[in-house]
Amino acid sequence: MRAYFLAGSPVKLIITGTAVAILLQAAFVLSGFPTTLTLERAFPTNHLVDLNELRVRDSFRHPRILQQQQSSVASVVSFPVQGTYDPNRAGLYYTKLHLGSPPKQYYVQIDTGSDVLWVSCSSCKGCPKSSGLQIPIQLYDPSTSSTASLISGSDQRCLLGTQSYDSSCSGSNNQCSYTFHYGDGSGTSGYYVSDLIHLETIVGNSIPSNASASIVFGCSTSQTGDLTNSNGAVDGIFGFGQQGLSVIAQLSSQGISPNAFSHCLVGNGAGGGILVLGQIIEPNMVYTPLIASQPHYNINLLSISVNGQTLAIDPSMFATSSSRGGTIIDSGTTLAYLTEEAYDPFVDAITQSVLQFVQPLRFKGSQCYIVASSTPEIFPTVSFNFAGSASMILRPQDYLLQQNSVDGASVWCIGFQKSQVQGITILGDLVLKDKIIVYDLGGQRIGWANYDCSMLVNVSTMSSGGRNEHVNAGQIGGSNSLQDECKKMILMVVVLQLFVLFVFS
């Protein structure tokens, strides 16, 4: 389409070309081409327009432009968080999802150590029917959802699963099936389905809105090990890994959310916290690179310091290689595990620093201490030092667990365990709590900062990987969600308007 402005007054617009017909209203189409349209002047030619008046006119246009830009920008997606790291209580953090049409509610464990979202199916064998977490157990039934469909073995999405050796195609019914095994010896198997996930999204500082997306997830038909235990039972596991069938990868590829996610897990009281698809912004964040081409979130641990003294541990003991698993960030692990070569030097250094104030003892295979004080302040600060000059500072409560008292004295035990798998160090919820943890997948890095996770956080859709460079942080979390605050503001405006109408009517 080409447009020409002709000299004279009034201004006229000449439009040529038949393709433009589909873009114009019927009245213009029927008039034929070329067509002459008269452009009305907003202001007379002899009228000097005040600058403020022009600004007002432009201000009505700019929100429309911004709205169009934001429509193509990935949104921040927020999930509620419940649970606690405390193994004497929940021992896990979980969130709430809505799946299917009509949507039904499911509670799933937050797990950065696995890739796929799965929920227990109505035909599941060994699935708990109740939970000690005082949450309802919901079984997913694809036949009751109008938007559900099964994934065949020839589907490209099934091939994403087979690349990670979790999926296979059943020859009997050409159905895409899976089998997962977890580090604690538990496991699950089932088949893949496609259905809607319903999300709470935020773009910039706008009011939260609802969205939905079609994703592939697992329908569990069999469970073993601790997954069958009703004490801490949930409806499934929400895998936040990097593989193609993870929800973060699926939503990011659809442009719905950024290629990053963050969590901030409350370590005291009733627990809870914050989980978002997007990056939490905090001035004190430090970042370390992710080790490429790994199935987990591996980072390069270089050394451990206790009270500022670096322990005599060969850095190669922490390395990721063909024979060693390296250092992994895993929110699905309750405690923390040190490679065998590092465990004894770590425990010995802590013991030596407090020996004059405590009575050491062994309890159920762990190093413990009888302490007169009910708080662990006498214990040293520990620093895990990573590539990129990024140190993770651990307070005593980040590596100790309080046990039952002895004769009125407190008993604190080191929560780090000796890894049963050679060459693997796992940083679980014991360490990750009370910290903002950012998984910047676009930039292939992980960041953290100590933080009170009961407070609000600023969240951005920015990704350092080159996509979604839109930076317009919104506040999420805290005792009152952003959505609750917006509802209160709207209610106040409505009440005020009704009051004005009543007074002046």
Side-chain angles (χ1 to χ4, degrees), residues 300-304 310-319 324 327 339-342 345 425:
N300 190 5
L301 177 61
L302 301 178
S303 65
I304 300 175
T310 301
L311 304 183
I313 304 171
D314 185 347
S316 65
M317 297 298 100
F318 303 121
R324 305 189 69 85
T327 303
T339 181
E340 184 176 3
E341 296 86 351
T425 293

Side-chain angles (χ1 to χ4, degrees), residues 22-296:
I22 60 173
L23 302 177
L24 297 178
Q25 295 181 357
F28 297 148
V29 175
L30 295 175
S31 66
F33 291 94
T35 297
T36 302
L37 304 179
T38 300
L39 302 182
E40 299 290 340
R41 289 186 180 275
F43 304 100
T45 56
N46 60 350
H47 177 66
L48 295 178
V49 183
D50 185 81
L51 183 60
N52 287 331
E53 193 171 351
L54 292 175
R55 286 199 188 101
V56 171
R57 288 176 54 81
D58 287 343
S59 68
F60 287 103
R61 175 177 175 80
H62 293 167
R64 296 196 300 270
I65 298 174
L66 181 60
Q67 185 177 17
Q68 291 170 352
Q69 289 176 335
Q70 289 183 341
S71 66
S72 62
V73 173
S75 304
V76 169
V77 180
S78 176
F79 297 97
V81 176
Q82 295 175 250
T84 171
Y85 82 99
D86 189 346
N88 297 316
R89 301 174 72 179
L92 75 160
Y93 290 90
Y94 55 95
T95 188
K96 182 169 56 178
L97 300 179
H98 292 88
L99 302 171
S101 300
K104 293 183 179 180
Q105 180 176 284
Y106 302 88
Y107 291 91
V108 288
Q109 182 179 358
I110 302 166
D111 183 18
T112 62
S114 62
D115 294 310
V116 175
L117 165 66
W118 62 264
V119 292
S120 298
C121 244
S122 55
S123 58
C124 183
K125 298 178 181 178
C127 293
K129 299 297 189 295
S130 62
S131 174
L133 300 176
Q134 305 303 312
I135 57 174
I137 294 297
Q138 178 84 257
L139 299 178
Y140 175 78
D141 185 352
S143 67
T144 63
S145 174
S146 62
T147 49
S149 61
L150 302 181
I151 303 298
S152 69
S154 58
D155 193 299
Q156 289 295 320
R157 293 168 293 183
C158 185
L159 297 179
L160 289 175
T162 58
Q163 292 171 2
S164 59
Y165 308 103
D166 294 323
S167 304
S168 61
C169 188
S170 174
S172 58
N173 54 11
N174 192 32
Q175 191 167 279
C176 187
S177 58
Y178 66 85
T179 300
F180 302 139
H181 297 287
Y182 298 98
D184 61 359
S186 61
T188 177
S189 59
Y191 57 91
Y192 283 114
V193 298
S194 173
D195 207 342
L196 291 182
I197 182 172
H198 302 268
L199 307 166
E200 181 181 280
T201 64
I202 302 171
V203 176
N205 292 318
S206 62
I207 296 176
S209 60
N210 295 322
S212 62
S214 179
I215 62 167
V216 174
F217 58 92
C219 191
S220 174
T221 57
S222 176
Q223 294 172 20
T224 59
D226 279 351
L227 290 175
T228 64
N229 190 337
S230 62
N231 290 336
V234 288
D235 295 320
I237 291 181
F238 196 171
F240 274 86
Q242 303 180 70
Q243 301 299 321
L245 280 185
S246 73
V247 172
I248 181 69
Q250 293 187 64
L251 294 180
S252 175
S253 66
Q254 296 179 48
I256 294 171
S257 67
N259 195 17
F261 68 95
S262 312
H263 58 68
C264 195
L265 308 175
V266 175
N268 55 19
I274 300 164
L275 172 65
V276 295
L277 306 188
Q279 290 194 60
I280 296 178
I281 307 301
E282 163 62 27
N284 298 320
M285 294 291 295
V286 296
Y287 287 90
T288 190
L290 275 169
I291 298 176
S293 305
Q294 297 299 317
H296 303 291

Side-chain angles (χ1 to χ4, degrees), residues 360-409:
L361 77 156
R362 301 290 296 181
F363 179 70
K364 294 184 178 180
S366 296
Q367 180 61 59
C368 301
Y369 311 90
I370 299 177
V371 186
S373 172
S374 60
T375 57
E377 278 78 7
I378 62 170
F379 286 86
T381 297
V382 170
S383 177
F384 277 58
N385 307 307
F386 295 89
S389 300
S391 292
M392 182 179 287
I393 307 301
L394 306 186
R395 307 160 301 165
Q397 55 266 43
D398 295 328
Y399 63 84
L400 294 173
L401 288 171
Q402 188 171 16
Q403 302 297 305
N404 294 331
S405 61
V406 175
D407 296 329

